[in-house]
Amino acid sequence: MVHFDIDMPLPRRRAYHMIYNTSLHEAIDYASGNAWNGIVPDFGVPEFSPEKVSFYERMQLRQRAHELGIEWGFHAPGDDVSLFCTYPTIKDAILEYFRDIIDFARDLSKTRPNIVVHSGTPPSFKQAADRNCEFTEKNHDLYLQTFCDNLTALITHSRDHANIVLENLSWTPIVHEAIEEMVPRGLKLCLDIPKLYTPKFKEEDWAIFEKHKDAIEVVHIHDRNDLYGQHQVVGDGSIYFERPLRLVAGLKKPALYVFEVRPRDAAAKSLINFVGITDSLNLSL
């Protein structure tokens, strides 16, 4: 177990990405007994799928988390679904499952939780000896409208009890356009710091965060190195945290800092090293 100095300047809202826990109940107790005041189950883990948790168990989890002061955050599945999907029955199924996730988040949390989503990507059919994709350009309006419609459906369903938060994974000019349209309608943003630097610093994505910084609800913390890639212990990689941290330190409402490092002991080590960084920068999060 990793031990924390009680005088460490921890982020006010801090959670670990819950993947390898034995149960949601056990994750709450672990967080409460350590330095965490939040947990983020990922629905990419089959055991956490909403249909597997009864209403009675949801009420138990809701009460237990509330009693122990543990905040809920959630991460929607992102590896095999896409909000750019245009196939009618598949699109409807994706939205229906996401509505189940929103209802699950509502049942578990007495406060307004965040649900992080990935955009996915539209199909790409490049032609030989051509860097541009004529297919994507030709179907630009269709995919922009599809993406915005799907986000609107989720935001509408969650309006009274959750935030839909878009993570900066595989953002494209179409996603940038959609963000400009959807932030005024209630879309929130997740700043995954290492994804800004993969493979090099993405100035276009950064400009979106600067313009809409007050829409940032979640910040993902992990590190990246050439040997193992992303989701490494903070300090075991080459990510330069100062620039994005100075931006989020000035938010009107403190973001939820989610440590996407697994297993949870590695997340705890990351939290300690992260606090060393913020302390050296004289930042309060």
Side-chain angles (χ1 to χ4, degrees):
M1 181 177 295
V2 179
H3 297 282
F4 290 83
D5 185 332
I6 60 173
D7 295 324
M8 295 174 69
L10 300 172
R12 280 167 280 184
R13 300 170 65 202
R14 53 196 182 274
Y16 71 94
H17 192 209
M18 182 188 165
I19 301 294
Y20 293 105
N21 294 79
T22 57
S23 73
L24 293 167
H25 296 277
E26 188 267 343
I28 293 172
D29 290 338
Y30 170 81
S32 176
N34 290 273
W36 306 104
N37 56 21
I39 57 175
V40 178
D42 194 307
F43 292 107
V45 178
E47 289 82 358
F48 302 152
S49 196
E51 75 277 3
K52 296 184 179 181
V53 185
S54 69
F55 182 75
Y56 176 72
E57 186 177 0
R58 293 182 189 197
M59 294 303 99
Q60 288 182 314
L61 290 163
R62 176 187 179 95
Q63 186 60 30
R64 183 64 173 164
H66 176 70
E67 289 174 352
L68 295 176
I70 301 301
E71 176 180 0
W72 289 98
F74 301 91
H75 199 306
D79 292 331
D80 52 3
V81 296
S82 173
L83 294 177
F84 281 104
C85 182
T86 59
Y87 315 123
T89 55
I90 298 176
K91 171 183 174 180
D92 291 344
I94 290 171
L95 291 177
E96 186 61 29
Y97 186 69
F98 275 42
R99 291 187 188 101
D100 289 345
I101 287 173
I102 293 168
D103 293 344
F104 184 83
R106 174 202 62 204
D107 290 346
L108 263 61
S109 183
K110 289 193 175 186
T111 58
R112 187 180 182 89
N114 297 305
I115 303 173
V116 172
V117 301
H118 293 172
S119 63
T121 56
S124 176
F125 301 100
K126 290 186 176 181
Q127 301 182 65
D130 190 347
R131 290 184 177 275
N132 298 317
C133 182
E134 183 179 334
F135 175 84
T136 304
E137 295 172 356
K138 181 179 179 180
N139 292 278
H140 170 277
D141 292 348
L142 169 63
Y143 287 113
L144 176 61
Q145 189 63 51
T146 297
F147 185 44
C148 288
D149 286 349
N150 287 337
L151 284 175
T152 297
L154 299 182
I155 291 170
T156 299
H157 191 76
S158 66
R159 180 75 67 185
D160 295 330
H161 46 260
N163 294 320
I164 301 300
V165 187
L166 183 66
E167 180 179 345
N168 56 311
L169 175 66
S170 302
W171 280 6
T172 64
I174 292 179
V175 175
H176 292 164
E177 287 185 60
I179 290 172
E180 295 292 348
E181 184 173 334
M182 297 305 300
V183 165
R185 300 185 192 180
L187 179 68
K188 304 300 182 181
L189 301 178
C190 168
L191 169 56
D192 186 305
I193 292 179
K195 288 183 176 64
L196 277 176
Y197 290 89
T198 307
K200 62 179 180 179
F201 194 81
K202 299 176 181 177
E203 294 289 351
E204 296 82 1
D205 291 358
W206 176 248
I208 293 289
F209 285 115
E210 283 190 310
K211 181 176 180 180
H212 299 291
K213 67 178 183 180
D214 289 331
I216 299 173
E217 287 282 335
V218 179
V219 180
H220 284 172
I221 305 295
H222 49 106
D223 214 326
R224 180 190 183 280
N225 61 45
D226 292 337
L227 181 60
Y228 295 111
Q230 298 185 38
H231 302 288
Q232 303 308 309
V233 171
V234 172
D236 287 354
S238 58
I239 297 301
Y240 181 64
F241 287 91
E242 179 174 359
R243 187 177 179 186
L245 288 183
R246 291 203 180 279
L247 177 69
V248 295
L251 297 180
K252 295 177 182 178
K253 175 188 174 184
L256 174 63
Y257 290 84
V258 180
F259 287 74
E260 283 198 329
V261 186
R262 285 85 60 172
R264 62 192 185 189
D265 283 351
K269 292 177 183 177
S270 292
L271 178 57
I272 290 176
N273 293 345
F274 180 76
V275 168
I277 293 172
T278 59
D279 192 36
S280 69
L281 297 174
N282 196 29
L283 295 177
S284 176
L285 304 176

